[in-house]
């Protein structure tokens, strides 16, 4: 499914709408006003390097940040405001309407509880089930996420399963509350390549079958490209480009996105020297005056230091926060694929 | 023809693993009869999933572990015993770079002091000159003098990995074993370090054993590639040939599962099941329970790593049968 963005970058009838979300730790701003909306059943990718704020965005939205973080802005789930919401409101939202899974399934599961009990907990809390119905439903979920021999696995402990199987258990737990949105934070980063492919395929399959929306957070452009309809690229606490996945990878507009794609070694075609983005990501307490990417940008001009460029409309469905991004041009000419 | 820089011949490394608290010890072959060759000025990429034995192979190559069977030859001579004087002298000729640069650096020492250490340990250069040599090395990997005066936590991940590379180059080694050297780095920084390694190799003629799980990175740096599965090499050959046209079904699945941005040009093969436990190695070909092309023979007979008509090595009954069939047909 593809979602059409209007000229203000929002989807019609959003499931979740984030407006001007900012986060600061000890007075240092790490998120500078995120605007992001997710439609029902849509798969949105959030991609960026470490420290760009892609995880913090969703931890803040779900009230999962430590107390010292000061959060402002709006996050609306339907008519419910999530920022500064009462704990009991958040309790029904988290795990019920929005579920989240993390990078390392082994540390997200309790090592001394049987898997069936852990999934059962989520079912009792969010599914309102009790007694034998819990076990039957847990078994159905295990089957759904492709855990072989589901009945026996319910009595297993996390250490008895592989990393990929544990991530399936996490997904089963996340599905227990029949959420409208699943936020997956680097769900395959700790897994092997062949297992990663299995989990991504599973997420896509579940999304199609249940019409659940998916937000996939990853540093890996390839993972995002294969799983998401729409992609938001983040840099230094801001979304700097957003577009439909295919057009973003074919014709990236922002120099940072172009740089990220050019820095990736290709798996096919002619091998050539990589074009790295020179320099480093700026520290949050030491941001340049204008565009945060300007010091590393090949197209930098004087105007770039004058102010932070807003995420602006560039073409239908395409937004970029760059005053130099004029037209869509392919970064890498398509090379012939040899047999 | 002179002897290759590094050669492992049928090296095997076993570990004892206890099943349960009082169970009998089971022998696990982490590396099982692996033969590899690294030439001067060339890179051999070693790819495989976790537990496939690629890191153990790297440690065997450096003599950090003693093989239970088989031998390791460095410039045609057998590797002396670990921790002997001869081994320590030889270790100056071969260096290792790990995944986590922060773990490889001493956080209480300035970067330049750590880069200087190999000169002190191996008695290279005059004591007075050593610091200048260390700064020169840092400059060659793209670190400024003021960065050399900093402590590891004051540098970014990419800069730390540069410092580790500078230190590894101090003894002018002939061989570098790189174990996932860029896996912990962000994409834009990854490219900087890959380019640096390629430049250093061209300049100094180093042989590289490059271990990674990332096929894209492996392809970028390697001349030859070896694919490991459960302690054995299942396919080895020229990087471009092997990755554009894999012969072994496992390599094929790995290539097709590699996440690439943009349109994919080949269908994705999603393998079923997990990599098997090395302690319970499947009979016959270890890959057969997950293989789409497996036949009856694969369940009983373990395939040997044999040359294919195009020069690469593959350990697969099906691939060899196909090659023989094509040869007979033409």
């Amino acid at each position: 499914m593809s979602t059409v963005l209007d000229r203000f970058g929002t989807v019609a009838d959003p499931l979740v709408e984030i407006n001007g979300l900012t986060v600061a730790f000890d007075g240092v701003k790490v998120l500078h006003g995120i605007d992001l909306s997710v439609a029902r059943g849509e798969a949105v990718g959030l991609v960026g390097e470490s420290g760009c704020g892609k995880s913090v965005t969703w931890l803040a939205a779900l009230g999962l940040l430590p107390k010292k973080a000061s959060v402002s802005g709006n996050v609306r789930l339907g008519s419910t405001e999530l920022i500064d919401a009462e704990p009991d409101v958040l309790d029904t939202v988290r795990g019920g309407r929005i579920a989240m899974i993390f990078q390392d399934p082994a540390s997200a599961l309790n090592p001394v509880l049987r898997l069936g009990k852990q999934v059962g907990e989520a079912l009792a809390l969010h599914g309102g089930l009790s007694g034998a119905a819990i076990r039957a439903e847990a078994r159905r979920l295990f089957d759904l996420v492709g855990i072989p021999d589901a009945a026996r696995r319910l009595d297993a402990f996390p250490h008895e399963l592989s990393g990929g199987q544990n991530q399936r258990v996490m997904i089963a737990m996340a599905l227990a509350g029949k959420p409208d949105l699943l936020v997956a934070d680097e769900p395959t980063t700790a897994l092997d390549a062949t297992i990663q492919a299995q989990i991504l395929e599973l997420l896509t399959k579940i999304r199609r079958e249940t019409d659940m929306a998916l937000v996939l957070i990853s540093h890996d452009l390839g993972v995002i490209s294969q799983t998401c309809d729409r992609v938001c690229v983040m840099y230094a606490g801001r979304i700097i480009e957003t577009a439909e996945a295919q057009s973003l990878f074919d014709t990236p507009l922002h120099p940072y996105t172009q740089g990220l794609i050019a820095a990736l070694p290709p798996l096919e075609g002619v091998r050539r020297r990589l074009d790295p983005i020179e320099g480093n990501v700026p520290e949050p307490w030491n941001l340049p005056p204008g565009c945060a990417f300007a010091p590393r940008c090949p197209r930098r001009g004087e105007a770039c230091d004058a102010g932070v460029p807003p995420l602006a409309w560039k073409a239908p469905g395409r937004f970029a926060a760059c005053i130099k991004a004029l037209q869509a041009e392919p970064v890498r000419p398509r090379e012939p694929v040899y047999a | 023809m002179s002897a290759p820089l590094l050669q492992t011949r049928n090296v095997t490394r076993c570990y004892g693993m206890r099943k349960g608290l009082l169970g009998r010890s089971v022998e696990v072959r982490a590396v099982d009869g692996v033969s590899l060759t690294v030439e001067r000025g060339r890179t051999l990429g070693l790819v495989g999933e976790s537990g496939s034995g690629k890191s153990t192979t790297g440690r065997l190559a450096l003599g950090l572990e003693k093989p239970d069977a088989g031998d390791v030859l460095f410039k045609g001579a057998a590797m002396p015993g670990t921790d002997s004087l001869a081994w320590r002298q030889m270790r100056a000729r071969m260096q290792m770079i790990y995944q986590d640069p922060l773990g490889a650096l001493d956080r209480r020492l300035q970067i330049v002091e750590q880069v200087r250490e190999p000169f002190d340990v191996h008695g290279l250069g005059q004591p007075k000159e050593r610091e200048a040599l260390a700064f020169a090395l840092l400059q060659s990997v793209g670190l400024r003098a003021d960065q050399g005066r900093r402590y590891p936590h004051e540098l970014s991940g990419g800069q730390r990995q540069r410092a580790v590379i500078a230190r590894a180059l101090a003894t002018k080694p002939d061989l570098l074993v790189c174990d996932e050297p860029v896996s912990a780095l962000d994409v834009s920084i990854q490219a900087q370090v890959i380019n640096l390694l390629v430049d250093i190799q061209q300049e100094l003629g180093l042989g590289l054993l490059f271990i990674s799980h990332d096929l894209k990175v492996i392809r970028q740096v390697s001349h030859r590639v070896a694919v490991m599965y459960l302690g054995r090499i299942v396919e080895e050959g020229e990087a471009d040939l092997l990755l554009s046209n894999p012969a072994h079904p496992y390599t094929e699945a790995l290539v097709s599962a590699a996440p690439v941005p943009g349109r994919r040009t080949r269908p994705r093969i999603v393998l079923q099941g997990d990599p098997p436990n090395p302690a319970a190695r499947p009979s016959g070909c270890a890959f057969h329970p997950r293989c789409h092309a497996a036949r009856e023979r694969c369940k009983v007979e373990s395939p040997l790593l044999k040359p294919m008509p195009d020069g690469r090595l593959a350990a697969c009954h099906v691939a060899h049968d196909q090659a023989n069939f094509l040869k007979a047909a033409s």
Side-chain angles (χ1 to χ4, degrees):
Chain A
M1 191 185 98
S2 174
T3 312
V4 183
L5 295 178
D6 63 19
R7 281 190 82 102
F8 306 102
T10 46
V11 296
D13 188 23
L15 172 70
V16 179
E17 194 173 7
I18 299 178
N19 273 320
L21 184 68
T22 67
V23 174
F25 289 106
D26 299 328
V28 178
K29 246 187 180 182
V30 294
L31 220 54
H32 302 262
I34 297 293
D35 298 312
L36 173 65
S37 50
V38 181
R40 229 161 244 291
E42 189 189 19
V44 178
L46 236 56
V47 68
E49 296 181 280
S50 43
C52 71
K54 51 194 192 300
S55 298
V56 170
T57 301
W58 287 95
L59 292 174
L62 294 175
L64 290 171
L65 286 176
K67 281 212 174 64
K68 69 167 186 172
S70 55
V71 180
S72 69
N74 301 99
V75 177
R76 272 190 212 93
L77 173 66
S79 57
T80 318
E81 170 63 49
L82 299 186
I83 298 298
D84 296 324
E86 293 300 316
D88 55 330
V89 174
L90 285 175
D91 283 347
T92 55
V93 169
R94 290 191 295 229
R97 300 201 55 198
I98 303 179
M100 195 158 177
I101 56 173
F102 299 93
Q103 174 171 346
D104 182 10
S107 61
L109 290 166
N110 187 333
V112 297
L113 287 184
R114 294 182 197 276
L115 295 171
K117 188 162 171 75
Q118 302 193 44
V119 178
E121 233 169 48
L123 283 168
L125 266 173
H126 300 292
L129 298 178
S130 60
I134 289 185
R135 198 171 164 90
E137 178 65 8
R139 196 181 152 176
R140 189 190 70 84
L141 285 173
F142 270 35
D143 281 330
L144 179 72
V145 298
I147 295 174
D149 200 7
R152 284 221 340 252
R153 292 294 189 208
L154 287 174
D155 294 321
F157 290 99
H159 75 268
E160 295 175 272
L161 269 63
S162 65
Q165 298 294 6
N166 273 329
Q167 195 59 286
R168 287 176 195 265
V169 173
M170 287 305 301
I171 295 172
M173 258 163 105
L175 295 178
K178 300 200 173 60
D180 298 319
L181 171 65
L182 176 66
V183 180
D185 189 355
E186 304 269 6
T188 60
T189 307
L191 306 176
D192 277 320
T194 60
I195 307 302
Q196 167 168 290
Q198 292 175 1
I199 297 290
L200 293 179
E201 201 184 59
L202 174 68
L203 286 174
T204 303
K205 186 189 113 191
I206 289 172
R207 191 168 67 81
R208 292 235 169 85
E209 287 174 5
T210 61
D211 200 31
M212 174 185 76
L214 174 73
V215 168
L216 183 67
I217 300 172
S218 179
H219 69 283
D220 190 327
L221 292 164
V223 165
I224 293 276
S225 153
Q226 281 164 35
T227 319
C228 299
D229 308 321
R230 189 156 64 86
V231 182
C232 302
V233 184
M234 291 188 69
Y235 188 77
R238 285 193 176 88
I239 294 178
I240 53 104
E241 181 164 5
T242 177
E244 203 187 308
Q246 199 69 65
S247 46
L248 184 95
F249 291 108
D250 282 350
T251 54
L253 294 179
H254 197 287
Y256 175 64
T257 319
Q258 294 173 349
L260 271 186
I261 295 174
L264 269 186
L267 197 55
E268 285 174 334
V270 184
R271 268 190 282 180
R272 48 173 188 87
R273 194 177 164 80
L274 299 177
D275 300 318
I277 305 174
E278 295 302 339
N280 292 298
V281 179
E283 283 99 1
W285 54 88
N286 196 16
L287 288 180
C291 171
F293 186 62
R296 304 173 77 188
C297 183
R299 286 201 230 156
R300 175 187 193 170
E302 262 177 44
C304 296
D305 296 330
V308 178
L311 187 63
W313 187 92
K314 299 285 172 186
R318 313 245 8 208
F319 296 80
C322 177
I323 52 172
K324 299 269 177 177
L326 293 175
Q327 71 257 6
E329 48 177 309
V331 270
R332 186 185 293 159
R334 297 234 163 260
E335 286 146 352
V337 177
Y338 49 81
Chain B
M1 203 184 100
S2 64
L5 183 61
L6 178 88
Q7 216 177 356
T8 71
R9 291 193 303 203
N10 280 319
V11 288
T12 298
R13 182 78 178 99
C14 305
Y15 296 109
M17 195 174 89
R18 219 172 263 285
K19 274 201 164 173
L21 199 60
L22 299 167
R24 267 187 322 122
S25 179
V26 188
E27 191 178 72
V28 175
R29 287 177 176 235
V31 173
D32 191 1
V34 166
S35 302
L36 291 173
T37 304
V38 182
E39 305 278 358
R40 287 177 184 81
R42 309 276 284 174
T43 302
L44 174 69
L46 196 55
V47 67
E49 294 181 276
S50 49
S52 62
K54 50 191 198 305
S55 290
T56 309
T57 305
R59 292 174 58 79
L60 286 166
L62 287 176
L64 290 171
E65 296 204 27
K66 204 175 149 4
D68 293 304
D71 45 8
V72 179
L73 303 178
F74 186 67
K75 295 183 180 169
M79 180 82 61
T82 308
D83 270 343
S84 64
L85 182 64
W87 178 72
R88 250 171 297 172
Q89 282 169 349
M90 189 180 264
R91 272 307 308 277
R93 319 285 345 123
M94 41 173 92
Q95 293 289 343
M96 181 140 188
I97 297 169
Y98 294 95
Q99 174 172 351
D100 174 21
L102 196 57
L105 292 167
D106 187 329
R107 36 184 92 207
R108 291 170 306 172
L109 285 180
Q110 287 178 3
I111 295 295
V112 65
E113 293 176 72
Q114 309 197 37
V115 176
R116 183 203 149 113
E117 257 184 342
F119 296 116
D120 294 333
V121 170
H122 293 283
L124 304 168
Q126 293 302 314
K128 281 181 199 156
E129 296 169 356
R130 284 176 189 160
E131 191 164 282
L133 285 173
F135 274 120
L137 268 176
L138 284 174
Q139 201 189 355
S140 72
V141 297
L143 289 178
R144 297 188 309 266
D146 64 297
Q147 289 167 329
R149 286 285 176 213
R150 294 193 201 165
Y151 291 91
H153 72 268
E154 297 175 301
L155 297 182
S156 69
Q159 290 165 344
R160 283 179 209 139
Q161 199 60 294
R162 285 171 192 267
V164 171
I165 293 171
R167 187 178 61 181
L169 295 176
T171 58
K172 296 201 172 64
D174 301 310
L175 174 72
L176 267 187
V177 175
C178 308
D179 193 352
E180 304 270 10
V182 296
S183 303
L185 306 177
D186 274 321
V187 178
S188 69
I189 309 298
Q190 218 176 46
Q192 294 175 5
V193 174
I194 290 173
N195 281 349
L196 175 66
L197 282 171
V198 171
D199 291 346
I200 288 170
Q201 176 174 49
Q202 276 171 0
E203 210 171 296
L204 306 176
L206 291 172
L208 248 60
L209 178 59
F210 194 98
I211 301 168
S212 178
H213 70 282
D214 188 336
L215 276 181
K216 296 194 290 288
V217 173
I218 283 275
R219 186 184 113 105
Q220 184 67 26
V221 297
S222 305
H223 301 95
R224 289 181 75 81
V225 172
V227 182
M228 282 188 84
Y229 190 74
L230 223 60
R232 291 189 191 163
I233 291 179
V234 296
E235 187 167 359
E236 195 208 325
E238 291 292 324
D240 286 329
L241 176 69
L242 192 135
L243 294 177
S244 64
N245 188 17
H248 197 287
Y250 178 62
T251 317
E252 194 187 357
L254 271 187
V255 172
S256 84
V260 209
R263 287 167 222 275
R264 48 177 52 251
T265 50
R266 59 173 91 219
R268 181 157 67 167
I269 304 168
V270 178
L271 289 180
Q272 300 305 310
D274 289 325
N277 183 348
R281 197 187 167 85
S283 64
C285 172
F287 184 60
H288 87 256
R290 302 175 77 195
C291 181
H292 65 88
R295 301 167 183 180
E296 279 306 308
R297 186 182 170 197
C298 305
K299 295 180 189 166
V300 284
E301 194 186 330
S302 182
L304 295 174
L305 189 66
K306 288 185 299 194
M308 303 266 292
D310 56 14
R312 78 176 99 188
L313 303 169
C316 175
H317 295 309
V318 179
H320 282 289
D321 285 352
Q322 271 170 2
N324 287 339
F325 177 77
L326 287 176
K327 209 161 85 182
S330 66

